[in-house]
Amino acid sequence: GVTRVGSGCFVMSYVHLAHDCHIGDGVIIANGTQLAGHVEIHDHAILSGLVAVHQFTTIGAYAFIGGCSRVNQDIPPYVKAVGNPIELYGLNSIGLQRAGFPAETVAVLKRLYRLFFNSELNLTQAIDRARLDLPPLPEVENFLEFLSSSQRGIPA
């Protein structure tokens, strides 16, 4: 296979991109981060320094991964994640604001995050509720599609 790096990326020193990785546009990968084979990183994600990413893992658009994290599950778009084991820490609100997302969109994404990660609903119930209660924004659809297609699971 082929490892592909999109346009406008910032890949710092001592970063390892293994075989068959696909890196989207505008991705930032800080010093010493290691990506195993078949990792996919969607557009505008940010990986802090010394992050280790397990093979076949996907990191969603505009996600932020904190330093020294071990990413062994898929990380949804628009969220913050950090730790070993990796945990989600809310919406990447500051990153979304800096990227020019409208305040209304960020508010909807916050509601979406709470629906999935701060409620008692299972994945199927949360998807159904999101489709009923939230506006059909492209960001909402992207989030729902990501969760539906995850192969490695999502951190709780």
Side-chain angles (χ1 to χ4, degrees):
V2 175
T3 293
R4 291 191 178 98
V5 177
S7 64
C9 292
F10 185 29
V11 180
M12 297 182 195
S13 62
Y14 304 109
V15 168
H16 175 74
L17 306 177
H19 59 89
D20 304 302
C21 288
H22 296 143
I23 312 301
D25 296 334
V27 172
I28 298 172
I29 306 175
N31 298 335
T33 292
Q34 308 290 297
L35 275 59
H38 303 277
V39 168
E40 184 174 346
I41 302 177
H42 296 179
D43 295 346
H44 305 288
I46 298 174
L47 283 70
S48 299
L50 301 172
V51 171
V53 183
H54 193 280
Q55 64 186 3
F56 297 103
T57 301
T58 302
I59 298 173
Y62 295 95
F64 177 87
I65 310 297
C68 297
S69 294
R70 178 177 57 100
V71 182
N72 60 341
Q73 291 181 293
D74 294 336
I75 304 301
Y78 319 115
V79 303
K80 297 179 293 189
V82 68
N84 182 4
I86 194 84
E87 293 181 39
L88 300 182
Y89 281 91
L91 195 68
N92 183 15
S93 302
I94 293 173
L96 296 174
Q97 290 169 358
R98 288 179 180 165
F101 280 72
E104 299 81 17
T105 301
V106 174
V108 169
L109 289 173
K110 282 183 184 180
R111 288 178 53 204
L112 183 64
Y113 181 90
R114 287 187 195 113
L115 184 65
F116 277 89
F117 303 112
N118 294 37
S119 75
E120 298 297 321
L121 301 175
N122 66 31
L123 180 64
T124 304
Q125 293 168 333
I127 289 172
D128 292 343
R129 177 75 59 83
R131 292 202 190 282
L132 286 173
D133 294 350
L134 299 175
L137 299 174
E139 294 83 3
V140 170
E141 289 302 318
N142 183 28
F143 189 89
L144 296 177
E145 175 59 33
F146 187 96
L147 291 180
S148 297
S149 65
S150 173
Q151 297 295 309
R152 294 198 50 83
I154 306 293

